[in-house]
Amino acid sequence: MPSIDDVRRIAAKLPGSEERDTTAGPAWFVRNKAFVWECRAWPSIPTDLREIIERELVVGVKLAQPIDARALREMQPDVFLEQTTRWGEPKVAFRMAGIDADHLEELIIESWRVQAPRYLRRELDDRLGFSSDF
């Protein structure tokens, strides 16, 4: 099972990534925009989800579209949690116990891409040997 240290290791490799301690726990930002964070059991979170977050490590990521979160939840409802907040932002929380290392890395990188400016996305693509026009 991946740990928060695995999240830290993946996020640290991304250009412009910055770890911050927040009232909710560790979170990672690019240009002051959060892209991955440890979830905490806030009173505003529905009771059933709060109980899961209290028992196990849950991480959240920012997504490009709300449909992306829905698709992940439908494909793996035992891993990806229902919406933890009332805000309509496209994000999803997931149980780390149900994520393999490759999928974790993919989720973090894609979340970073959603928040990172174009010049940092190009920097990562150049480092990885990809060409990208977006």
Side-chain angles (χ1 to χ4, degrees):
M1 173 179 94
S3 69
I4 202 70
D5 286 333
D6 293 312
V7 173
R8 184 172 283 117
R9 178 186 50 76
I10 295 164
K13 293 179 185 179
L14 300 170
S17 176
E18 175 187 345
E19 181 177 352
R20 296 182 193 167
D21 287 324
T22 69
T23 56
W28 290 265
F29 294 77
V30 60
R31 303 284 296 168
N32 292 317
K33 296 178 181 178
F35 66 94
V36 62
W37 54 90
E38 182 179 357
C39 294
R40 296 294 168 105
W42 294 103
S44 60
I45 294 174
T47 304
D48 57 334
L49 298 178
R50 194 169 55 243
E51 290 171 355
I52 292 169
I53 294 168
E54 287 171 349
R55 280 195 318 265
E56 55 188 282
L57 178 59
V58 175
V59 169
V61 292
K62 178 81 170 169
L63 300 172
Q65 301 291 328
I67 193 76
D68 298 334
R70 183 176 173 190
L72 288 168
R73 287 192 301 266
E74 287 180 3
M75 288 188 309
Q76 291 184 286
D78 56 325
V79 175
F80 293 92
L81 304 178
E82 286 300 318
Q83 192 167 347
T84 58
T85 65
R86 285 174 264 151
W87 302 300
E89 293 182 38
K91 49 188 174 178
V92 70
F94 54 91
R95 298 167 135 160
M96 288 286 280
I99 295 289
D100 66 39
D102 290 338
H103 197 189
L104 177 65
E105 185 169 27
E106 178 185 335
L107 286 165
I108 293 171
I109 291 172
E110 287 307 310
S111 181
W112 175 87
R113 284 185 180 284
V114 168
Q115 298 291 57
R118 182 176 292 168
Y119 77 93
L120 288 177
R121 293 193 312 259
R122 279 194 203 122
E123 183 180 325
L124 180 64
D125 289 344
D126 289 348
R127 190 184 314 162
L128 298 175
F130 298 138
S131 66
S132 174
D133 292 330
F134 63 105

